[in-house]
């Protein structure tokens, strides 16, 4: 089986293989399927990236594997810890590009915010990742490598024990990039997250956030239904066409119908709508009432996100009063609403504060005339929703 997207040089990267792919690869080597399972567990449950450490493999196999394959995670560049327990890692994904991964501990769960692309091509007007432009899709190895790193970094016990101690209990695909624009690699990485021989997370604990790439949301329903978050941000097409330009291609009626259909297969029977609060743009009483009408008939929860500023952006964050007024209207209509809290702001790990590195191939940073020629800009990686 060809596994080019997770290859390093000529050798396939085992870190980015699903268990069926690894089994097929081992079959090519004339090795039994249970050998593939052993290696898969060593990599994902014991955090091992060195064949020599796989002590229950035959010596001959331990010698053969490095000649035909690698286990290569993105390199760790920096690590920071906040006094509130939030942790942040900057990972090197080559050619000047870096991605940041954030771990947000809460009393009942530990959430890891994972990136899917270097930059994003969709160009939402309020989003600094969009304004950074796009470089490339992350490989499956680079996506799952974020979880692999986080587990390794967090638990010496985890790294030393093949049994493992799962500290990351939830994944949100809410970092840099549009996950449904990197469908194959993201779904393969989610397969590994869900696999009992790897991280064994339930579908309910893996959430994919999308701005609404409708055809791929339809495919996701069949391929790998996980919990769903949708970046709504507007209560009508005219406004959403401006804020989330992909709406021009897949307008609200189409998106909402697809969400309804997706929920038939989803592990949670509701969608979480994300709604960034932009002062004087989408936060009026009228918008709130229009929104209530728009989503009637859809099982949903709302996560209101106070907008995080970035240089030269043409927006301001809604006032606390406006956010609470908006929240109250939604709640009075019977909707469940949370307002996202800031975490890890002392290490610049809060929403909109993260500084990844994007070498922009679209040259959008210049097109947007953001007043800076720097390729390195602040990117938002979102954290879990919390009720105020
Ligand atoms: N591309 C996906 C997932 C990544 S963005 C998506 O759009 O859903 C994760 C969330 O952060 C999205 O809801 C996005 O709209 C929001 N976001 C982007 N920039 C932001 C900013 N500056 N302040 C607050 N939220 C922002
Ligand atoms: Fe891309 Fe999501 Fe940002 Fe839009 S909000 S530009 S889809 S990362």
């Amino acid at each position: 089986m060809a596994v080019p997207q997770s290859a390093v040089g000529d050798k396939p990267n085992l870190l980015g293989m699903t268990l069926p792919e690894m089994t097929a690869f081992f079959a090519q080597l004339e090795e039994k399927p249970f050998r593939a399972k052993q290696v898969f567990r060593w990599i994902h449950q014991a955090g091992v990236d060195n064949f020599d450490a796989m002590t229950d493999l035959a010596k001959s196999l331990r010698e053969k594997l490095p000649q035909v394959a690698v286990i290569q995670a993105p390199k760790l560049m920096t690590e920071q810890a906040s006094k509130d327990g939030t942790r942040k890692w900057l990972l090197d994904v080559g050619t000047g590009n870096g991605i940041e991964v954030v771990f947000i501990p809460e009393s009942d769960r530990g959430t890891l915010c994972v990136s899917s692309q270097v930059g994003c091509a969709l160009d939402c007007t309020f989003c600094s990742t969009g304004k950074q432009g796009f470089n490339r899709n992350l490989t499956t190895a680079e996506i799952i490598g974020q979880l692999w790193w986080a587990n390794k970094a967090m638990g010496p016990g985890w790294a030393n024990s093949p049994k493992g101690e799962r500290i990351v209990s939830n994944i949100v695909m809410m970092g840099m990039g549009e996950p449904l624009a990197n469908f194959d690699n993201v779904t393969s990485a989610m397969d590994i997250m869900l696999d009992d021989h790897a991280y064994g997370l339930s579908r309910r604990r893996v959430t994919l956030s999308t701005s609404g790439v409708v055809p791929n949301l339809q495919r996701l329903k069949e391929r790998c239904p996980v919990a769903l978050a949708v970046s709504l941000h507007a209560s009508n097409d005219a406004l959403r066409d401006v804020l989330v330009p992909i709406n021009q291609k897949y307008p609200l009626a189409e998106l909402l119908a697809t969400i309804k259909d997706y929920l038939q297969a989803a592990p949670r029977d509701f969608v979480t709508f994300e709604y960034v609060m932009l002062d004087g743009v989408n936060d009026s009483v009228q918008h709130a009432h229009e929104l209530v009408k728009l989503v009637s008939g859809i099982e949903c929860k709302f996560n209101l996100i106070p907008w995080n500023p970035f240089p030269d952006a043409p927006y301001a964050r809604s006032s606390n009063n406006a956010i609470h007024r908006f929240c109250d209207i939604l709640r009075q209509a019977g909707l469940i609403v949370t307002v996202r809290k800031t975490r890890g702001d002392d290490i610049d790990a809060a929403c909109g504060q993260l500084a990844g590195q994007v070498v922009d191939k679209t040259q959008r940073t210049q097109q947007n005339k953001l007043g800076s020629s720097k390729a390195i800009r602040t990117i938002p990686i979102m954290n879990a929703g919390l009720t105020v």
Side-chain angles (χ1 to χ4, degrees):
M1 176 186 285
V3 276
Q5 56 82 22
S6 274
V8 176
D10 289 342
K11 295 180 186 172
N13 187 358
L14 301 188
L15 180 69
M17 282 189 197
T18 61
L19 186 52
E21 285 170 343
M22 188 134 21
T23 307
F25 179 69
F26 272 62
Q28 280 178 357
L29 301 177
E30 298 182 351
E31 295 288 343
K32 298 237 161 55
F34 83 93
R35 292 291 178 208
K37 205 174 279 173
Q38 276 177 309
V39 171
F40 193 71
R41 292 172 77 117
W42 274 111
I43 295 172
H44 297 291
Q45 297 196 335
V48 161
D49 57 359
N50 170 0
F51 295 111
D52 275 341
M54 301 181 180
T55 47
D56 55 0
L57 298 188
K59 191 154 180 277
S60 56
L61 180 57
R62 271 188 272 154
E63 284 168 1
K64 179 157 83 174
L65 284 172
Q67 292 166 26
V68 294
V70 295
I71 304 168
Q72 190 169 301
K75 288 189 188 62
L76 180 65
M77 292 165 83
T78 60
E79 177 171 10
Q80 284 174 279
S82 157
K83 54 182 187 307
D84 70 12
T86 302
R87 297 179 67 173
K88 183 177 83 164
W89 299 277
L90 177 63
L91 302 180
D92 179 4
V93 290
T95 56
N97 291 302
I99 50 169
E100 278 181 322
V101 192
V102 175
F103 176 70
I104 307 123
E106 292 166 63
S107 56
D108 58 342
R109 63 189 157 178
T111 303
L112 193 71
C113 184
V114 169
S115 293
S116 55
Q117 299 182 305
V118 184
C120 184
L122 296 188
D123 204 13
C124 301
T125 48
F126 57 87
C127 171
S128 58
T129 302
K131 294 297 146 203
Q132 273 177 308
F134 175 70
N135 185 284
R136 66 172 174 86
N137 282 334
L138 293 178
T139 64
T140 304
E142 289 164 339
I143 299 167
I144 201 67
Q146 297 169 57
L147 174 56
W148 186 89
W149 252 120
N151 275 339
K152 206 170 158 68
M154 280 187 303
W158 184 89
N160 295 331
S161 146
K163 257 179 95 192
E165 186 190 340
R166 197 174 306 126
I167 303 167
V168 175
S169 64
N170 292 58
I171 301 279
V172 288
M173 298 297 304
M174 289 186 188
M176 224 170 161
E178 168 49 54
L180 290 184
N182 183 11
F183 189 85
D184 292 342
N185 296 348
V186 164
T187 49
S188 291
M190 294 196 306
D191 282 344
I192 302 172
M193 292 171 192
L194 301 173
D195 197 309
D196 281 341
H197 296 289
Y199 303 92
L201 295 169
S202 84
R203 288 181 192 279
R204 298 162 60 82
R205 289 176 175 271
V206 176
T207 300
L208 182 142
S209 173
T210 180
S211 58
V213 185
V214 163
N216 284 352
L217 184 53
Q218 290 161 347
R219 287 172 70 202
L220 189 70
K221 179 190 172 198
E222 309 303 328
R223 170 67 180 80
C224 188
V226 291
L228 181 67
V230 171
S231 294
L232 202 55
H233 307 318
S235 53
N236 60 59
D237 278 316
L239 182 54
R240 197 163 191 268
D241 280 350
V242 175
L243 298 178
V244 186
I246 199 171
N247 193 71
Q248 296 163 22
K249 204 165 176 191
Y250 308 115
L252 281 167
E254 236 179 279
L255 175 60
L256 296 175
T258 305
I259 293 169
K260 262 188 161 175
D261 184 54
Y262 183 89
L263 291 179
Q264 309 289 317
R268 291 188 187 266
D269 57 5
F270 62 89
V271 58
T272 303
F273 285 125
E274 294 158 284
Y275 195 97
V276 66
M277 299 297 295
L278 300 166
D279 182 37
V281 175
N282 64 356
D283 64 349
S284 71
V285 169
Q286 287 78 2
H287 288 124
H289 287 300
E290 192 175 34
L291 199 54
V292 168
K293 270 204 201 123
L294 182 73
V295 303
S296 72
I298 298 188
E299 289 298 324
C300 62
K301 292 185 181 175
F302 269 85
N303 195 351
L304 303 181
I305 312 171
W307 180 71
N308 284 308
F310 55 91
D312 305 308
Y315 297 110
R317 178 187 289 187
S318 302
S319 67
N320 285 343
N321 276 348
I323 295 175
H324 283 112
R325 185 182 59 191
F326 201 89
C327 182
D328 286 346
I329 295 171
L330 266 50
R331 283 185 179 156
Q332 277 157 20
L335 293 164
I336 296 172
V337 189
T338 56
V339 179
R340 201 167 275 178
K341 266 188 191 168
T342 301
R343 291 287 303 266
D345 52 350
D346 56 335
I347 56 163
D348 289 347
C351 310
Q353 288 186 320
L354 295 179
Q357 295 177 11
V358 176
V359 179
D360 175 20
K361 284 194 176 161
T362 64
Q363 297 185 325
R364 189 179 294 144
T365 40
Q366 276 118 320
Q367 290 157 19
N368 284 321
K369 295 192 174 64
L370 289 177
S372 164
S373 59
K374 277 191 212 149
I376 300 174
R377 300 189 65 82
T378 300
I379 62 160
I381 290 190
M382 313 310 302
N383 59 21
L386 297 169
T387 313
V388 275

